[in-house]
């Protein structure tokens, strides 16, 4: 393997949300028909979520990933054939196998050009994907990577459980990373603790041609909330220390968009003004591995994030996994 002094830098970003926009009221009306009670006020007060997007019945995770990737590739101004690494972070793949990344590679028309594989770290998946691509590029094994977070979580929601079905949405976000002499990904911090696997999970599997166990998402919300607040502060500080930066050096905090109260807590603990946090949870809901790249693309497209800005991304998800990265855009 070649040893180089190159870094991985973000060339550009892209994202995609399915066309069906589901407001809290529309969701509450749907649930009421099933005898499940909730309201816009109840959802907003606990999560900050107002709307989310659901994929159409014929839309797959790779379909969402395709549009986000095409937009990122176009914005980056590169030939798709120059991409020699595709990583898709997802917990809702099209199939058991092949990987969603291989399906995406085919849909992009990229032929036999480097590796393509999925990363499964749930809501931390994009942070894990960026770390993996950064390592491959720094090693000299690859030069141009497409890292995508894409989810169709609406397919694994139990719409009889108001504590979970109101939280999640579908979408995809993508970034193009390329080898550079200029530092881009400044630091990585990743962790996991499998002893918490039962507090957030979809504990089903395919056995004999049928689903064995539950194919729905299950979550112990209070335990997840407390754990998330604790680990997100620690991993953020760890990533900042590795980058030899302080919170005051960060232009933008982009946390996993799960719950506005968790996000605001992290912001306060880092002594960052709330205005320096990118917030899309109100419009997107929790899109798991897609949430960070979706929020990143929103802030790039609206001009908030500029070249040279220091960005702190962080996520926590089932596994339990958590991670953070400092990126100079």
């Amino acid at each position: 393997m070649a040893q180089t002094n190159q870094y991985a830098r973000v060339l550009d970003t892209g994202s995609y949300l399915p066309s069906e926009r589901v407001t809290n009221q529309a969701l509450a009306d749907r649930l009421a028909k099933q005898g499940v009670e909730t309201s816009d006020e109840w959802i907003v007060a606990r999560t900050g979520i107002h709307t989310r997007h659901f994929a159409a019945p014929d839309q797959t995770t790779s379909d969402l990933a395709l549009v986000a990737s095409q937009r990122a590739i176009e914005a980056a101004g590169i030939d798709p054939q120059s991409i020699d690494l595709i990583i898709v972070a997802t917990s809702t793949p099209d199939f058991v196998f092949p990987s969603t990344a291989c399906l995406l590679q085919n849909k992009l028309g990229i032929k036999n050009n480097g590796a393509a594989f999925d990363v499964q770290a749930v809501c931390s998946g994009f942070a894990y994907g960026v770390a993996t691509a950064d390592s491959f590029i720094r090693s000299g094994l690859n030069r141009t990577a497409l890292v995508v977070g894409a989810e169709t979580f609406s397919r694994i929601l139990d719409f009889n459980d108001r504590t979970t079905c109101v939280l999640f949405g579908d979408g995809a976000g993508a970034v193009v990373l390329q080898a550079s002499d200029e530092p881009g990904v400044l630091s990585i911090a990743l962790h996991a603790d499998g002893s918490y696997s039962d507090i957030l999970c979809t504990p089903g599997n395919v056995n004999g041609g049928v689903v064995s166990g539950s194919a729905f998402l299950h979550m112990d919300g209070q335990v997840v909330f407390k754990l998330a607040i604790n680990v997100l502060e620690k991993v953020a500080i760890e990533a900042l220390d590795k980058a030899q930066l302080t919170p005051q050096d960060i232009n933008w905090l982009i946390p996993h968009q799960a719950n506005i109260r968790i996000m605001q807590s992290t912001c306060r603990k880092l002594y960052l003004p709330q205005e320096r946090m990118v917030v899309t949870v109100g419009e997107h809901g929790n899109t798991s591995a897609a949430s960070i790249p979706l929020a990143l693309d929103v802030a790039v497209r609206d001009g908030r994030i500029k070249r040279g800005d220091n960005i702190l991304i962080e996520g926590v998800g089932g596994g339990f996994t958590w991670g953070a990265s400092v990126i100079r855009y």
Side-chain angles (χ1 to χ4, degrees):
M1 184 181 297
Q3 297 297 317
T4 74
N5 294 319
Q6 66 190 17
Y7 302 95
R9 290 206 60 149
V10 175
L11 288 186
D12 224 311
T13 64
S15 64
Y16 174 71
L17 292 165
S19 60
E20 184 185 1
R21 181 174 178 269
V22 182
T23 66
N24 287 345
Q25 189 59 55
L27 187 57
D29 291 344
R30 170 180 174 176
L31 297 179
K33 295 176 182 178
Q34 303 169 197
V36 179
E37 182 181 346
T38 191
S39 68
D40 175 64
E41 293 77 16
W42 189 89
I43 298 168
V44 173
R46 287 160 178 77
T47 68
I49 298 169
H50 295 270
T51 65
R52 75 285 292 147
H53 292 250
F54 286 167
D58 61 347
Q59 276 187 310
T60 65
T61 296
S62 65
D63 289 333
L64 308 190
L66 174 63
V67 181
S69 298
Q70 289 171 329
R71 291 174 177 174
I73 291 167
E74 181 180 2
I78 64 167
D79 180 354
Q81 300 304 324
S82 69
I83 296 171
D84 55 6
L85 175 64
I86 298 175
I87 300 173
V88 175
T90 187
S91 300
T92 51
D94 291 18
F95 307 121
V96 174
F97 69 86
S99 71
T100 304
C102 283
L103 300 175
L104 174 61
Q105 183 195 52
N106 181 56
K107 290 180 178 182
L108 287 168
I110 299 173
K111 299 294 184 182
N112 190 28
N113 191 21
F117 56 88
D118 290 355
V119 168
Q120 221 289 38
V122 199
C123 302
S124 307
F126 184 73
Y128 270 63
V130 167
T132 304
D134 177 60
S135 297
F136 276 49
I137 290 173
R138 281 177 177 263
S139 74
L141 188 62
N142 296 96
R143 179 164 182 80
T144 304
L146 175 66
V147 182
V148 186
E151 302 283 12
T152 49
F153 254 61
S154 61
R155 308 277 165 77
I156 59 172
L157 298 179
D158 180 358
F159 286 96
N160 291 305
D161 178 6
R162 73 167 183 170
T163 65
T164 58
C165 71
V166 301
L167 304 178
F168 295 90
D170 303 334
V175 299
V176 177
L177 292 167
Q178 193 168 73
S180 172
D181 294 332
E182 297 288 330
V185 179
L186 304 183
S187 68
I188 298 287
L190 301 177
H191 296 278
D193 187 342
S195 66
Y196 292 101
S197 61
D198 60 336
I199 66 173
L200 178 55
C201 57
T202 302
N205 58 78
V206 177
N207 187 348
V210 298
V211 174
S212 176
S214 174
F216 291 128
L217 181 149
H218 296 260
M219 181 172 70
D220 186 333
Q222 290 190 346
V223 176
V224 169
F225 187 94
K226 292 176 182 178
L227 183 60
I229 285 178
N230 180 44
V231 301
L232 284 174
E233 177 192 9
K234 292 179 179 178
V235 79
I237 293 172
E238 180 185 354
L240 286 166
D241 287 346
K242 286 183 175 181
Q244 299 183 335
L245 296 175
T246 69
Q248 288 65 45
D249 296 315
I250 296 301
N251 300 101
W252 297 102
L253 169 66
I254 306 182
H256 167 49
Q257 310 282 315
N259 183 302
I260 191 62
R261 292 187 294 162
I262 295 174
M263 296 161 62
Q264 290 172 339
S265 172
T266 301
C267 216
R268 287 194 298 269
K269 289 182 176 182
L270 294 176
Y271 298 99
L272 285 172
Q274 300 288 325
E275 297 76 25
R276 282 159 65 183
M277 178 170 66
V278 179
V279 179
T280 59
V281 66
E283 292 299 311
H284 298 171
N286 182 345
T287 56
S288 191
S291 80
I292 292 173
L294 269 166
L296 172 62
D297 185 57
V298 166
V300 169
R301 300 277 78 82
D302 68 22
R304 273 178 289 173
I305 292 179
K306 298 176 174 60
R307 286 294 170 189
D309 282 357
N310 291 325
I311 304 165
L312 173 62
I313 68 170
E314 59 170 4
V316 58
F320 224 67
T321 66
W322 61 99
S325 179
V326 178
I327 299 169
R328 182 162 297 150
Y329 185 69

